[in-house]
Amino acid sequence: AGNASPRERRGRLRGFNWRFCYVERRIGCFQTVFVSWVFVSGKPIFSVDIHPDGTKFATGGQGEDSGKVVIWNMAPVLREEDERNENIPKLLCQMDNHLACVNCVRWSNNGLYLASGGDDKLVMVWKRAAFIGPSAVFGSSSKLANVEQWRCVMILRNHTGDVMDVAWSPHDVWLASCSVDNTIVIWNARKFPEIVMTLKGHTGLVKGLTWDPVGKYIASQADDRSLKVWRTMDWQLETNITKPFSECGGTTHVLRLSWSPDGQYLVSAHAMNNSGPTAQIIERDGWKTNMDFVGHRKAVTVVKFNPKIFKKKQKNGSTPKPSCPYCCCAVGSKDRSLSVWLTSLKRPLVVIHDLFDKSIMDITWTLNGLGLLVCSMDGTVAFLDFSQDELGDPLNEEEKNAIHQNIYGKSLAITMESQLSSTIIENPEMLKYQQERQVNQNPNEAQGIGPESQTPKLTNVLNGESLEDIRKNLLKKQVETRTADGRRRITPLCIWLNVSYFYPGTSHQHCSTASQSCRGRLHRLSSPLRSLRIPVHATAAVNSIGMKSNLLSVKEPKGKDETSSDSEDKIMVKSMAKRKGEMEGAEVVEKRKKGRPRKDAKMMPISQPFPQVTFLLSKDAWTSKSMDGVSTDGVTYLEVENEVSVVSGSRLSQLKWSREGREWDALLPSRIIIAAGSNDVVAVACEDRTLSVFTACGRRLIPSIILPAPMSALHCSRHFVMALTASATLSVWDVQKQTALVKNESLNPILSGTDATVSQSFLTQQGVAVVSLSNGKTYCFNSSLETWNLIADKQDSLVQCTDFRNCVSAQDALGSMGPLALTQGRNLSAGRLASRLSSTPHHLQQGMTLAFLEKQLSSALVLLSASEYRHWLLIYARFLVNEGYELRLRELCQDLLGPVHKSSSSSWEPTVLGLRKRDLLTEVLPVIGQNLRFQRLFTEYQDQLELLRLK
Amino acid sequence: MAKVQVLNVAVLDNPSPFRNPFQFEITFECMEDLPEDLEWKIIYVGSAESEEYDQVLDSVLVGPVPAGRHMFVFQADAPNTGLIPESDAVGVTVVLITCTYRGQEFIRIGYYVNNEYTDPELRENPPVKPDYTQLQRNILASNPRVTRFHINWEATMDKMEDSENVDPAPNAMLPPTSMPGKAPPLGLMPDNSMDCL
């Protein structure tokens, strides 16, 4: 494209190189449009980034006395008539929350977040406000109202120096930031502000970051004359490249390097070759540094690859051989010029000199790869528009995936949307579904308002009152108190509460009911309480604490301990025990602090004698039986007092039960060692190896059960009672039906061959006994098969290598609570697994994930946990859809659908765990519909379901 | 960065008789839970000539403030007329709302206030001694002047080098172009007032 110029300089002919030529804003095959209105009062613009949806872009730089992040509308840049149209806003939002210059702005790949880093050492994460904010900034004298409301949802503090660059990893798993404090911080983007790792090793200011598109590496370039590549698997240094940088001085403000979209090349910013500034090309294969982009007169500040891979435009018969796909790269320099390269050409496609008055600071490509925004220190942004004739035909996502699949054995993006466009929709149902889906995704796109603007409905109504009503009475209603020194203190009315606001889908329900007592209220909104028992085996340490304190009731401080069964906050514990033991004869009233580590409940099976347990107290948060209701029940106390009185030589013990003023007590002839209760029953085990069971009203249900050995752990859940004895046997009874679900089953099968001990046990609401061992394995007893089933293993390699993150949607988090999650730990999915991304070959990982998901599904089934079964079923279905397992998908659908025509020979059950299978299928079908590849499957089952519905 | 942003101030009961209490409905947003209360003040500028006639009408603590958006109504009694120079009773003056956190002022909102007689007779021939029962107070609610200051939001007492941390010069004049007559200080420079978030 570029013509030879009067001034010409040749770089070294190694691979890539180019002649430096003047192409003075040549209009013809490409066009340069100056974006004149992106002009922030002459202050430098350090960074520019186009939103993934292409409708807007962000700039970052210096403001008046602060850093400034601005979000601009893209339409006026692209079309001249939009630029002239005064009704189309150019500026969408300005944010000057950064205290000092903003060096970098980057959109997350999903477009939901914007990250910015600045000289104030902070990284801020911005999100479109989920409500309609003020139309203009309060007190603003300018007429520039913010059209969109972006709020800072997270401030990431860790760096001790200016933050120079930030970068989101593929799939937005991590956010990396680098700083002049010589470090790179990897933040867990799913759990801000958690830090995954701080990469240390640079000895100079780190000025640029880029993620490998495959997700295996991250590269950084620093003033210490090195470029380092780090592995994401273990965050260790993969390679340290210094040779091309040995002559470099720290003269550039930024060193923005870039990785090619096919992952094959990494191109550095400022490098030197024979005293000439270059951009070094580093090959992924062996990190070879044989090629460079030569020609700029001053240091290269920024390199940015076009997100697209191109192939040669096929002209009729003019190309004899099929051309190789190639990439396109833009290079910006301190010399104020910009060059654009294709990896298939030895010369630059185009060079533009004197584009700006000052150094180029950042470059960003439009998603279609044909446009490019460049910003400069001089405060301007330029837009360059290329034609397809110039760059070639961009590969579509499918072809791009095929290339990745070829090179890495794994397709990167399973972006359905982009694939959809090229597939023909074969049936009207599917078309309708797809259209509905699009409408749902972007209800307000036409007005340029994002999907989140639907929420104001919610937030403008608090407890059924509209904001207007509240405002009318605010003065009367607001809580005003006097402080100790007599000052007025107003409790503000909370109209929108930032609760876990970073993760969509969780906070809004809270907000809508938040009020002046927002904090207190949140507790009540949290998931319903279920029965909980906390056996506390007295230890010397506890006693000494207990004796100092005279309090009889303590607030349960945590209870969120993830291993505790169904625990909840706000549990009152009251315990009083008279204890014999070493202190024979001395009566001690002691009080027990709750929230002891669960390990205390450890059972020492067989080999060890049963510990001389004193007593326990168990307490219980009794709740309404329905899972969905918010518990309104009070706290229940179970109190045990041993040796309450001595009657004719034998000592009596007393069990006291109280809830909301109602209470009963029962006397037992032997010392009580463990008690537990649920909504329906209370069970008490005594020293004389008897187990007594009472109803919640205190009526004895069964004559004392004689146990084969002393009790080690006792649990109640609904009308089920579970007993673990010191001789390592398990029994579970249904005391309502008076049947045994598990009959004195030995734990030997799971304990033999290990020196593990039981670390935790609990009973699910459905009466399934679960036992966790100290070696990280968790088993449940399957009473229909009469076997022990392994349901969780913390060391399981399958768990650690699975990757189903993109199959989990935000609202799924809610459905995942239950006994299975309890045994496996709640945050099983994201971070830990994410770090394994690409560490194993794709097909292997795929297989592992499949195996893992199927295991989860069957475990939920064995645990009779309906909500978890549904949760994992949906994830499983999404995974099958994403990875294209048609046969399994079909089998799954078939099982859910069942026989269309009734036949006596069929053993098909219409429900699973109380869920109607066809309802489940109705939920699974939309998932299948997301991939047009399965549209026939979708249609087939959709039709059959419809048919059955009509019947 | 500022943890608290004032989103809106609605002036209630305006215009109103001079002796009515001031009422401002303040909406603000907080980025993070604040461990300490915010302190809000309403200051009535009795005379443009001198700061000594400034009256703090009231100050309130506002808390607790969890992260989120909040609103409250700040009501304060009308100024003590005995402290207002008689010559300044009628005409344009200023009312300021300030907010401080840990003793540091981070925002100052100024409103012009016009006090005048509603009775045309009195307007023509104002009594020498102002008749406050006849005066009407009109706050120019549409034109708040907002000045923001960087403060140290953290508990650590390390000093900010920022000179902006200091209260603004009280004698900085701001003659409003739209306002006839004398212009009392709003305590801020026009350039200093932020025109953005």
Side-chain angles (χ1 to χ4, degrees):
Chain A
N3 286 335
S5 76
R7 231 169 102 180
E8 189 176 298
R9 190 179 119 194
R10 279 180 171 274
R12 281 185 41 196
L13 277 165
R14 267 198 307 174
F16 299 95
N17 105 20
W18 51 290
R19 285 178 306 165
F20 212 155
C21 39
Y22 281 106
V23 183
E24 292 276 9
R25 291 170 206 173
R26 203 166 62 100
I27 311 294
C29 44
F30 77 95
Q31 198 184 1
T32 312
V33 183
F34 257 87
V35 184
S36 53
W37 44 263
V38 183
F39 191 80
V40 188
S41 56
K43 297 282 196 294
I45 298 178
F46 283 93
S47 185
V48 62
D49 199 35
I50 297 176
H51 190 275
D53 72 7
T55 60
K56 52 188 159 237
F57 66 98
T59 58
Q62 184 68 50
E64 285 300 328
D65 52 356
S66 61
K68 191 163 215 158
V69 177
V70 184
I71 297 172
W72 307 86
N73 196 353
M74 195 72 193
V77 178
L78 298 174
R79 282 174 299 274
E80 227 180 314
E81 62 266 31
D82 286 352
E83 189 185 345
R84 282 195 297 266
N85 185 343
E86 298 211 333
N87 295 324
I88 295 179
K90 297 183 169 71
L91 188 149
L92 299 178
C93 188
Q94 302 190 63
M95 300 160 282
D96 56 3
N97 300 32
H98 272 287
L99 283 183
C101 184
V102 176
N103 292 314
C104 189
V105 286
R106 291 290 180 258
W107 297 99
S108 62
N109 299 294
N110 61 16
L112 286 177
Y113 302 105
L114 175 71
S116 60
D119 284 354
D120 55 4
K121 305 166 192 169
L122 303 179
V123 176
M124 295 192 192
V125 182
W126 307 83
K127 185 173 191 279
R128 183 86 178 269
F131 52 83
I132 293 174
S135 57
V137 177
F138 177 67
S140 160
S141 58
S142 94
K143 290 286 161 251
L144 284 176
N146 283 337
V147 178
E148 291 187 356
Q149 307 301 324
W150 287 79
R151 63 166 57 242
C152 176
V153 290
M154 193 50 73
I155 302 177
L156 305 175
R157 303 167 210 269
N158 186 259
H159 286 293
T160 55
D162 308 1
V163 177
M164 301 308 295
D165 205 1
V166 294
W168 296 88
S169 74
H171 304 298
D172 299 326
V173 179
W174 302 297
L175 175 69
S177 61
C178 67
S179 161
V180 300
D181 66 9
N182 300 359
T183 67
I184 299 148
V185 173
I186 311 289
W187 308 87
N188 182 350
R190 309 251 156 132
K191 237 166 121 188
F192 285 128
E194 188 183 290
I195 294 176
V196 175
M197 187 52 90
T198 303
L199 308 182
K200 291 179 183 159
H202 277 295
T203 54
L205 325 179
V206 191
K207 291 181 170 176
L209 285 174
T210 184
W211 290 91
D212 160 26
V214 189
K216 210 170 169 184
Y217 304 109
I218 179 170
S220 58
Q221 193 174 351
D223 269 354
D224 62 3
R225 297 173 190 175
S226 76
L227 184 157
K228 296 188 198 297
V229 180
W230 315 77
R231 290 188 294 267
T232 57
M233 188 176 69
D234 54 4
W235 303 111
Q236 297 303 306
L237 193 65
E238 165 79 14
T239 185
N240 185 23
I241 297 161
T242 53
K243 200 164 146 262
F245 310 104
S246 55
E247 301 169 56
C248 294
T251 57
T252 58
H253 186 82
V254 289
L255 294 167
R256 304 200 204 273
L257 63 174
S258 182
W259 215 303
S260 67
D262 61 2
Q264 289 298 289
Y265 299 102
L266 169 64
V267 177
S268 79
H270 187 34
M272 297 288 270
N273 188 352
N274 261 359
S275 332
T278 63
Q280 184 66 46
I281 299 166
I282 297 150
E283 289 171 69
R284 186 193 195 91
D285 183 18
W287 310 114
K288 290 193 285 274
T289 56
N290 296 329
M291 299 178 288
D292 46 19
F293 293 129
V294 189
H296 280 286
R297 288 160 298 171
K298 286 186 181 170
V300 170
T301 48
V302 49
V303 176
K304 195 61 160 274
F305 267 99
N306 191 313
K308 292 283 181 194
I309 301 174
F310 295 90
K311 63 173 185 262
K312 191 116 193 154
K313 188 126 187 126
Q314 298 288 325
K315 285 168 194 150
N316 293 343
S318 67
T319 332
K321 52 177 183 174
S323 72
C324 253
Y326 53 87
C327 298
C328 172
C329 179
V331 178
S333 156
K334 265 185 98 173
D335 67 9
R336 302 173 290 130
S337 65
L338 176 87
S339 55
V340 178
W341 302 74
L342 302 180
T343 52
S344 59
L345 297 178
K346 297 207 165 178
R347 293 178 177 181
L349 180 69
V350 69
V351 182
I352 304 167
H353 286 291
D354 304 323
L355 192 56
F356 297 106
D357 296 333
K358 286 186 181 162
S359 168
I360 290 177
M361 297 306 289
D362 204 359
I363 301 171
T364 177
W365 289 90
T366 58
L367 205 63
N368 67 11
L370 295 178
L372 155 79
L373 280 173
V374 196
C375 73
S376 159
M377 201 82 138
D378 68 8
T380 54
V381 173
F383 180 66
L384 277 77
D385 200 8
F386 293 89
S387 72
Q388 258 185 36
D389 293 332
E390 282 260 330
L391 295 184
D393 284 338
L395 299 187
N396 61 31
E397 286 302 307
E398 227 160 76
E399 293 170 300
K400 192 168 153 182
N401 283 344
I403 289 181
H404 284 136
Q405 197 98 43
N406 247 340
I407 306 176
Y408 310 104
K410 138 166 201 154
S411 87
L412 296 182
I414 305 155
T415 40
M416 295 302 158
E417 271 75 14
S418 40
Q419 290 168 7
L420 288 181
S421 50
S422 59
T423 315
I424 298 161
I425 296 179
E426 294 175 8
N427 107 344
E429 268 301 299
M430 189 73 191
L431 183 67
K432 202 173 118 216
Y433 171 72
Q434 291 286 350
Q435 283 167 345
E436 275 169 13
R437 216 173 124 240
Q438 277 175 358
V439 170
N440 289 341
Q441 276 174 349
N442 271 334
N444 294 318
E445 201 172 34
Q447 296 100 320
I449 298 169
E452 288 152 293
S453 55
Q454 310 151 38
T455 33
K457 281 184 248 115
L458 265 177
T459 50
N460 283 343
V461 180
L462 311 178
N463 296 333
E465 254 184 305
S466 80
L467 197 55
E468 280 313 304
D469 292 341
I470 287 168
R471 287 178 62 176
K472 270 182 220 149
N473 297 313
L474 183 56
L475 183 61
K476 271 177 247 156
K477 280 187 169 177
Q478 73 187 7
V479 179
E480 190 169 321
T481 52
R482 292 272 169 186
T483 61
D485 51 357
R487 304 196 50 190
R488 290 170 67 193
R489 183 176 192 247
I490 296 172
T491 305
L493 171 71
C494 176
I495 53 177
W496 190 89
L497 194 62
N498 272 3
V499 205
S500 62
Y501 45 81
F502 194 78
Y503 302 95
T506 51
S507 58
H508 300 310
Q509 299 91 323
H510 298 296
C511 309
S512 58
T513 51
S515 75
Q516 289 155 353
S517 58
C518 5
R519 280 172 178 161
R521 205 165 275 235
L522 280 174
H523 285 298
R524 287 217 273 126
L525 281 172
S526 48
S527 65
L529 307 179
R530 267 162 290 148
S531 79
L532 170 96
R533 54 159 254 94
I534 301 135
V536 179
H537 294 225
T539 64
V542 172
N543 292 344
S544 55
I545 298 165
M547 280 186 279
K548 275 185 219 140
S549 158
N550 290 323
L551 285 175
L552 284 181
S553 94
V554 212
K555 253 207 174 126
E556 152 74 30
K558 34 189 260 176
K560 275 185 187 152
D561 177 358
E562 67 172 35
T563 57
S564 77
S565 48
D566 302 330
S567 56
E568 259 313 325
D569 17 351
K570 289 227 147 183
I571 284 159
M572 306 294 290
V573 176
K574 189 167 146 192
S575 82
M576 199 164 73
K578 292 185 182 167
R579 170 178 181 265
K580 260 180 105 181
E582 303 84 24
M583 298 176 279
E584 180 80 58
E587 281 200 344
V588 185
V589 176
E590 62 184 24
K591 172 237 121 191
R592 212 136 305 222
K593 268 220 168 98
K594 255 287 343 329
R596 305 277 316 156
R598 227 82 241 298
K599 286 175 222 113
D600 286 6
K602 179 191 324 183
M603 182 185 90
M604 294 296 173
I606 318 166
S607 54
Q608 297 204 343
F610 184 68
Q612 261 312 315
V613 159
T614 36
F615 119 88
L616 90 326
L617 136 104
S618 156
K619 102 39 11 287
D620 234 315
W622 310 64
T623 66
S624 55
K625 283 173 211 160
S626 69
M627 295 280 288
D628 48 351
V630 172
S631 160
T632 50
D633 291 328
V635 179
T636 305
Y637 300 100
L638 255 191
E639 221 172 281
V640 168
E641 208 170 339
N642 284 331
E643 293 160 30
V644 89
S645 62
V646 180
V647 180
S648 60
S650 77
R651 289 164 166 158
L652 292 182
S653 300
Q654 188 180 42
L655 173 77
K656 263 194 194 160
W657 179 100
S658 64
R659 167 165 60 184
E660 289 173 338
R662 289 185 297 130
E663 55 177 59
W664 53 262
D665 51 51
L667 287 171
L668 293 155
S670 173
R671 285 203 293 150
I672 297 169
I673 54 172
I674 278 188
S678 74
N679 253 1
D680 303 341
V681 295
V682 174
V684 185
C686 295
E687 217 175 25
D688 60 3
R689 293 201 213 159
T690 58
L691 176 72
S692 306
V693 181
F694 303 92
T695 66
C697 296
R699 175 171 58 90
R700 179 177 275 275
L701 268 174
I702 328 170
S704 291
I705 298 170
I706 303 302
L707 298 164
M711 186 68 78
S712 173
L714 178 65
H715 301 278
C716 294
S717 179
R718 292 171 59 205
H719 50 274
F720 301 107
V721 177
M722 160 182 173
L724 267 180
T725 66
S727 59
T729 59
L730 167 81
S731 300
V732 178
W733 302 282
D734 180 338
V735 293
Q736 195 175 53
K737 292 191 189 142
Q738 306 250 344
T739 54
L741 300 178
V742 180
K743 226 187 291 176
N744 220 21
E745 196 63 47
S746 169
L747 268 66
N748 272 335
I750 59 173
L751 286 170
S752 61
T754 68
D755 49 6
T757 53
V758 174
S759 59
Q760 189 209 351
S761 59
F762 67 91
L763 187 62
T764 72
Q765 294 270 308
Q766 281 73 32
V768 180
V770 179
V771 175
S772 296
L773 301 187
S774 56
N775 61 6
K777 292 186 161 71
T778 301
Y779 302 86
C780 74
F781 192 80
N782 183 338
S783 37
S784 47
L785 293 177
E786 300 201 331
T787 53
W788 286 98
N789 292 156
L790 178 66
I791 53 169
D793 184 355
K794 293 204 166 109
Q795 267 85 54
D796 191 349
S797 50
L798 281 181
V799 180
Q800 306 197 352
C801 298
T802 48
D803 179 13
F804 52 90
R805 278 162 297 140
N806 45 21
C807 304
V808 184
S809 68
Q811 58 265 43
D812 282 349
L814 302 167
S816 63
M817 309 296 268
L820 187 60
L822 209 62
T823 59
Q824 293 174 333
R826 291 201 182 128
N827 44 7
L828 170 81
S829 43
R832 185 153 49 97
L833 302 176
S835 67
R836 306 288 157 164
L837 179 66
S838 304
S839 64
T840 43
H842 181 61
H843 66 274
L844 199 60
Q845 195 175 44
Q846 209 180 21
M848 285 170 160
T849 310
L850 186 71
F852 171 76
L853 290 175
E854 289 176 346
K855 222 173 88 187
Q856 291 296 91
L857 208 55
S858 59
S859 295
L861 205 57
V862 170
L863 283 171
L864 309 177
S865 172
S867 70
E868 284 178 306
Y869 181 76
R870 188 183 151 270
H871 171 77
W872 288 106
L873 181 74
L874 288 177
I875 292 180
Y876 179 60
R878 269 184 223 125
F879 180 78
L880 293 182
V881 169
N882 285 352
E883 301 288 334
Y885 283 104
E886 184 159 4
L887 278 179
R888 284 184 199 243
L889 211 50
R890 192 168 278 282
E891 187 194 51
L892 181 72
C893 291
Q894 195 55 53
D895 176 54
L896 292 177
L897 183 76
V900 181
H901 304 288
K902 284 213 175 77
S903 96
S904 53
S905 62
S906 163
S907 61
W908 186 76
E909 292 283 337
T911 62
V912 54
L913 302 181
L915 302 167
R916 288 193 57 230
K917 283 185 177 174
R918 284 172 188 164
D919 290 347
L920 287 174
L921 183 60
T922 319
E923 283 190 79
V924 166
L925 276 181
V927 175
I928 297 172
Q930 278 169 19
N931 192 344
L932 274 185
R933 241 178 89 186
F934 294 126
Q935 57 173 315
R936 297 210 175 132
L937 193 80
F938 175 86
T939 314
E940 185 182 329
Y941 284 97
Q942 179 84 347
D943 289 350
Q944 295 190 70
L945 262 185
E946 199 57 38
L947 211 68
L948 286 166
R949 209 169 291 141
L950 295 175
K951 262 189 186 173
Chain B
M1 61 168 290
K3 285 190 186 171
V4 172
Q5 311 265 358
V6 174
L7 300 176
N8 193 37
V9 176
V11 182
L12 309 179
D13 188 24
N14 184 48
S16 71
F18 187 86
R19 289 176 181 279
N20 272 21
F22 282 92
Q23 283 185 13
F24 297 101
E25 179 205 273
I26 299 170
T27 309
F28 64 96
E29 190 171 286
C30 184
M31 307 256 318
E32 297 170 22
D33 295 0
L34 294 183
E36 287 177 30
D37 288 353
L38 295 168
E39 183 181 1
W40 295 81
K41 274 186 201 152
I42 298 180
I43 301 166
Y44 187 79
V45 176
S47 166
E49 314 302 326
S50 163
E51 244 188 294
E52 86 185 68
Y53 298 107
D54 285 4
Q55 294 185 38
V56 176
L57 300 184
D58 205 348
S59 91
V60 291
L61 299 173
V62 170
V65 184
R69 185 174 276 209
H70 311 273
M71 67 198 298
F72 70 101
V73 175
F74 188 1
Q75 174 169 317
D77 288 338
N80 179 346
T81 51
L83 301 176
I84 301 172
E86 287 181 357
S87 57
D88 289 304
V90 180
V92 177
T93 184
V94 160
V95 65
L96 297 169
I97 304 168
T98 69
C99 187
T100 57
Y101 184 67
R102 297 188 204 266
Q104 312 162 85
E105 180 175 321
F106 65 90
I107 191 165
R108 167 168 288 219
I109 301 155
Y111 284 101
Y112 288 104
V113 179
N114 191 21
N115 296 314
E116 58 183 5
Y117 294 108
T118 43
D119 180 3
E121 183 70 20
L122 283 170
R123 230 188 274 184
E124 286 297 309
N125 304 300
V128 183
K129 193 167 174 60
D131 181 358
Y132 287 104
T133 59
Q134 297 297 312
L135 267 183
Q136 188 195 52
R137 177 181 66 214
N138 192 351
I139 301 172
L140 188 59
S142 59
N143 193 17
R145 298 299 180 134
V146 181
T147 321
R148 296 174 170 93
F149 312 103
H150 292 314
I151 63 159
N152 184 5
W153 290 91
E154 304 305 321
T156 52
M157 285 322 286
D158 49 279
K159 281 240 167 128
M160 306 250 307
E161 311 96 88
D162 264 34
S163 58
E164 288 159 319
N165 209 4
V166 183
D167 271 10
N171 55 352
M173 294 296 289
L174 179 70
T177 46
S178 59
M179 197 79 60
K182 60 180 176 176
L186 271 183
L188 47 118
M189 303 279 288
D191 286 353
N192 206 8
S193 72
M194 309 267 241
D195 50 8
C196 40
L197 264 186

